[in-house]
Amino acid sequence: MLKRSGVLEVAEELFAPLPGAKGYPIRLVLLGLVCACYEKASTNLDDGFEAITFGTSERLRAELSIPTCDIEDQDAVNALYNRFHRAWNRLVRLLDAAPHERRSRLPRAKGRKIAAVWNGPGGAPPLRRLEELANRLVTTPVRTAFAKRLMRHWTGDVALDTTSLPSWAKPHTRKRSSLEPSANWHYKGGGGREFGYSLTMAITAHADPASAGRYPQLILGMVLHTPEKDMGRHAWYVSSVLSQFTHLRGFAAADRAYTKLRPKNFHQPMRDLGFMPVLDFSKTQVGPEAHHQGAIAKVGRLFCPRTPRPLLDLYQQVRDAKNERERVPLRERLQEIEPYALVRKATADERGNERYSCPAAKVNCPWAREREQRGSRKKGTVPLNIDLDGPRARASYPAARPTVDVPDIPFGERPKCCDQSSVTVQANVMPRMRQELPWQTMSWALAYQSLRSHIEGGNGRLKSVDAALHAREKRQPRGRVAQTLLAAITVMVENIIELERFLRASKEKTSTALVLQADETLPPYPALQEIPALSGTAISRSP
């Protein structure tokens, strides 16, 4: 897996121009860290050194030219470990966007300047290179699974989330910066906080529970970043890397923190990639109402201007419900508002505009009847007979539709959506809230809960005792470069373990099943220039 990732070649290219002796091979440093993570769930340098020096067989030591020493000679062990440590430090310095002293805490002002370099435009090129190396490691098991056709039952749904990655360094003080200058406090949903970094990840998921167990649930990509910085861009980045491996596009679920982001930073780029967001709303987003073309704009949908107020208030009641037991009966009552929702006639045009039609076919509206009589000489007649065994025939019969109570307003002074049979809805109308599955419907609840459970399960696996991503004592090397690479190694190893777990459940041999055959081709990792640029001008295919 480490050879397939291409990270070894990139590291060797970085080390090639350096003057002096070659020193300890960087490929063995990375291999030792991967082995230590697989065997001990640790990415500390001492554990990696012990794994590569004393935990390998004689055949492997000869094949890989691993430097050895007598384990009982403490001076020889210390000398070899210093060579191992210097090789790691050289890699970190070569990838660091803002090299600085790491053995003592800097003044707070200097620490802020270093953090500004990492999070500003000046540090973008080295940061993009670091993200590429990290995702080369993470996606190698994913690309292997695609090559082995283990993902053939996956439908393209993904789940996105940002979790905390605590740091070994102490937090900032008023006068002194932390040894991790670009780290900060990550505030959790439950109210707690941890000092360190945030980790944005995407995981394979499915909105249909029938697909459970038919493919391995792998982490598709990750970005380590300063908490609450560019969350939308990081979610787009891992999704755009995935879009280069497969043509599959499905639902993309995220929590309410992503719903509040600016549309140009998250919603629009995700739709440009072809994904259909499945989002939840906060109380402040559910309450307000607006009007567009006379229709009521609420929770990402457009409703008839004469929609009964008790039905509109059901959305706020669903949002205020304390648990799922209280929410399910309210969702069933929400079905009563469906006849009043405007119907989308077609997908968005080249400018992002969509056409929505009046729900006259689902309600009995005097205004709609008058509008139809003005536009046509034919008068609609009520059928004398009805097929009671046909659900569609029963639902379309006028007696089965709700009746709209309208005031006495002359034609031409009514809302535009009532004077016309259809209206145009621009792309900038409710850009944060429009989604393919209407909020809090049964289909939305099934998809959202299923997708969210997958990413929470992936977080649980990464933070379990077997992976220990949350254990800061098992990831002690300081610096953003070190923390990114070590977190990527942990996620890569967890993907490998998940593949082995899936193969065992499929009753296949894990030792040979991941070896590529002659007719199996590994999808190449996309170059940085091949990843589509982040732009808010493209048009979405989904509402």
Side-chain angles (χ1 to χ4, degrees), residues 439-461:
W439 184 67
Q440 288 299 338
T441 58
M442 292 297 184
S443 57
W444 176 92
L446 179 63
Y448 184 78
Q449 293 171 3
S450 179
L451 296 173
R452 287 292 301 163
S453 65
H454 296 148
I455 188 62
E456 295 299 338
N459 288 339
R461 294 201 314 268

Side-chain angles (χ1 to χ4, degrees), residues 102-305:
R102 301 191 183 280
R103 291 175 294 181
S104 60
R105 304 180 70 171
L106 299 174
R108 191 72 177 97
K110 290 185 178 180
R112 287 195 179 98
K113 291 181 180 180
I114 294 174
V117 171
W118 276 109
N119 298 320
L127 185 58
R128 298 294 91 80
R129 181 172 60 177
L130 180 60
E131 291 175 353
E132 179 185 350
L133 290 179
N135 281 279
R136 278 183 177 272
L137 293 170
V138 172
T139 59
T140 301
V142 180
R143 290 184 287 150
T144 302
F146 276 111
K148 303 293 294 185
R149 298 192 71 249
L150 300 178
M151 307 296 294
R152 60 186 180 274
H153 296 298
W154 178 57
T155 57
D157 299 337
V158 298
L160 303 162
D161 195 17
T162 298
T163 186
S164 63
L165 194 75
S167 171
W168 181 255
K170 294 182 179 180
H172 306 294
T173 62
R174 187 171 61 87
K175 295 183 178 181
R176 292 291 175 182
S177 176
S178 171
L179 292 174
E180 299 280 358
S182 61
N184 213 325
W185 291 104
H186 176 101
Y187 292 90
K188 302 180 181 180
R193 66 175 189 172
E194 283 185 320
F195 182 80
Y197 297 96
S198 294
L199 192 68
T200 297
M201 298 183 299
I203 191 173
T204 56
H206 52 265
D208 184 7
S211 301
R214 304 187 68 187
Y215 61 90
Q217 289 193 342
L218 303 176
I219 306 297
L220 300 170
M222 56 145 279
V223 177
L224 183 138
H225 56 94
T226 303
E228 301 181 2
K229 292 289 185 180
D230 295 336
M231 290 175 55
R233 196 206 73 84
H234 303 316
W236 165 86
Y237 180 82
V238 296
S239 302
S240 61
V241 172
L242 170 66
S243 65
Q244 303 296 313
F245 301 150
T246 174
H247 66 280
L248 294 175
R249 304 289 189 276
F251 295 110
D255 59 11
R256 290 191 290 271
Y258 288 88
T259 310
K260 298 177 181 179
L261 297 176
R262 292 183 178 180
K264 67 178 182 179
N265 294 337
F266 174 70
H267 307 77
Q268 191 66 35
M270 291 297 294
R271 291 179 177 126
D272 293 343
L273 291 175
F275 291 97
M276 296 174 287
V278 182
L279 306 171
D280 195 10
F281 305 140
S282 62
K283 293 182 179 179
T284 56
Q285 292 175 313
V286 174
E289 295 179 5
H291 289 81
H292 181 73
Q293 310 275 16
I296 300 175
K298 190 178 182 68
V299 295
R301 306 183 70 184
L302 294 174
F303 295 98
C304 172

